[in-house]
Structures are given as structure tokens and as C-alpha cells.
């Protein structure tokens, strides 16, 4: 009987440790989201309850939706942004130039290419980021990773551009560490 009580007590202690870990995993993102809320909405006390609720919901959703064992590489994120931001400006200028041209030199259509980003949230995120780039818009993704992309100019090397965009995006995600 004493062995059962001891195991039950150990299980309760383990549950308390898991609850503490879960709380700390929610605390930092929740506080960051709340700080962002205050920056965007101001620090009026009447708005704070909504900000706290939205921050708590966002923190909870981030732990539920984030893949187990996944992490972010700050170095990978910085390298991605160094590529993405200037490329976005150049693509935006190109689209604006074509839009204001007397005879826009366009060959719009659909192109397909295979994605190297792992299936799931990572691929969905890559497509969302790609949709921010002017000139290319992912329309659908097949189960085998084949992307259907609407392009403004099919004469461009779409598959090569997508591969060049996906490689730095993949470096954002840190692989799970395994001991042994």
C-alpha cells in the first residue's frame, strides 16, 4: 500500500513540474504579446482586460500549434530577413514599374514546382511568406509537396527562385536536439 501511495505522490509531483513548465512556456510569449498590444493599442486601463485576454489566447495557441521539439534559429531568421527584405523591395519596384508601363510586358500564368520545406506548419508558413513577395502567389499545395504558383511572368525561372527562397526559410527552424 505504501508503494502505491509513493507512486501516486511521485505522479502528482511530476504533474506539478509539468504544470510549472507549461506555465513558464506560456508566460514569456504571453508577456511579449501583451507588450505588443500595449505598443499598438496604448496603455489605457479600459483596454487592458481585452489585451490580457488576447495575449493569453495567443500564447496558448502558440503552444498548441507549434510543433513539438521545434525551435527557431536566431541566426537563420536574421539571414532570412537579410535576403527577404531587399528582395521584397526589388520585387515591389518591378511590379510597380510593370503596372505603370504603357505596355506592361507580362506573361501571367501558373507554374508548378516541388517544395523542399517539410509538410505542415513549416510549409504553410513558407507559402504565406512567399505570398508577401510581389509577383508570385502560391495558390495550392499538393500532398506530395508540389506547389501551384500564380506568376506575373512565366519567362522567369520560377522553380529556381522558389528553391532559392525556401533554402534560407528552412534555416529558420532549428532541428530537435537528440541525446545519444
Amino acid at each position: 500500500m505504501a508503494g502505491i501511495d509513493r507512486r501516486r505522490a511521485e505522479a502528482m509531483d511530476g504533474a506539478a513540474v509539468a504544470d510549472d513548465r507549461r506555465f513558464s512556456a506560456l508566460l514569456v510569449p504571453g508577456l511579449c504579446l501583451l507588450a505588443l498590444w500595449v505598443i499598438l493599442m496604448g496603455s489605457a486601463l479600459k483596454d487592458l482586460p481585452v489585451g490580457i485576454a488576447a495575449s493569453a489566447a495567443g500564447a496558448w495557441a502558440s503552444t498548441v500549434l507549434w510543433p513539438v521539439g521545434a525551435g527557431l534559429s536566431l541566426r537563420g531568421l536574421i539571414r532570412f530577413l537579410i535576403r527577404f527584405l531587399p528582395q521584397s523591395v526589388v520585387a515591389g519596384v518591378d511590379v510597380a514599374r510593370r503596372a505603370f508601363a504603357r505596355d506592361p510586358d507580362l506573361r501571367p500564368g501558373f507554374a508548378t514546382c516541388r517544395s523542399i520545406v517539410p509538410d505542415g506548419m513549416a510549409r504553410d508558413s513558407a507559402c504565406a511568406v512567399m505570398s508577401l513577395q510581389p509577383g508570385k502567389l502560391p495558390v495550392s499545395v499538393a500532398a506530395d509537396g508540389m506547389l501551384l504558383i500564380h506568376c506575373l511572368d512565366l519567362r522567369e525561372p520560377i522553380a529556381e527562385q522558389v528553391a532559392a527562397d525556401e533554402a534560407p526559410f528552412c534555416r529558420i527552424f532549428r532541428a530537435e536536439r537528440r541525446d545519444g
Side-chain angles (χ1 to χ4, degrees), residues 18 30 67-68 86-89 96 106 112 133 135 162-163 172:
V68 176
Q87 183 179 351
S88 183
V89 170
L106 298 174
T112 58
Q133 293 278 351
V162 169
I172 294 173

Side-chain angles (χ1 to χ4, degrees), residues 25-156:
L26 290 172
L27 185 62
V28 173
L31 289 175
C32 290
L33 289 171
L34 183 60
L36 180 63
W37 175 274
V38 169
I39 290 169
L40 294 174
M41 301 304 293
S43 59
L45 289 178
K46 65 180 176 76
D47 295 334
L48 204 53
V50 175
I52 291 171
S55 301
W60 174 81
S62 71
T63 60
V64 172
L65 297 174
W66 192 255
V68 176
L72 292 178
S73 165
L74 183 61
R75 177 184 229 174
L77 181 62
I78 291 169
R79 291 175 72 185
F80 172 76
L81 289 174
I82 288 172
R83 174 181 168 75
F84 175 80
L85 295 175
Q87 183 179 351
S88 183
V89 170
V90 168
V93 168
D94 179 52
V95 169
R97 178 189 58 80
R98 292 174 190 238
F100 290 112
R102 190 175 299 255
D103 287 325
D105 187 24
L106 298 174
R107 297 253 172 95
F110 292 93
T112 58
C113 61
R114 186 164 310 281
S115 176
I116 62 168
V117 180
D119 189 26
M121 190 173 74
R123 187 176 297 153
D124 294 342
S125 300
C127 287
V129 168
M130 194 183 313
S131 72
L132 298 173
Q133 293 278 351
K136 293 187 299 263
L137 179 66
V139 176
S140 68
V141 181
D144 65 351
M146 197 62 105
L147 298 173
L148 178 64
I149 301 172
H150 181 268
C151 309
L152 289 181
D153 195 346
L154 288 174
R155 294 171 292 189
E156 294 182 12

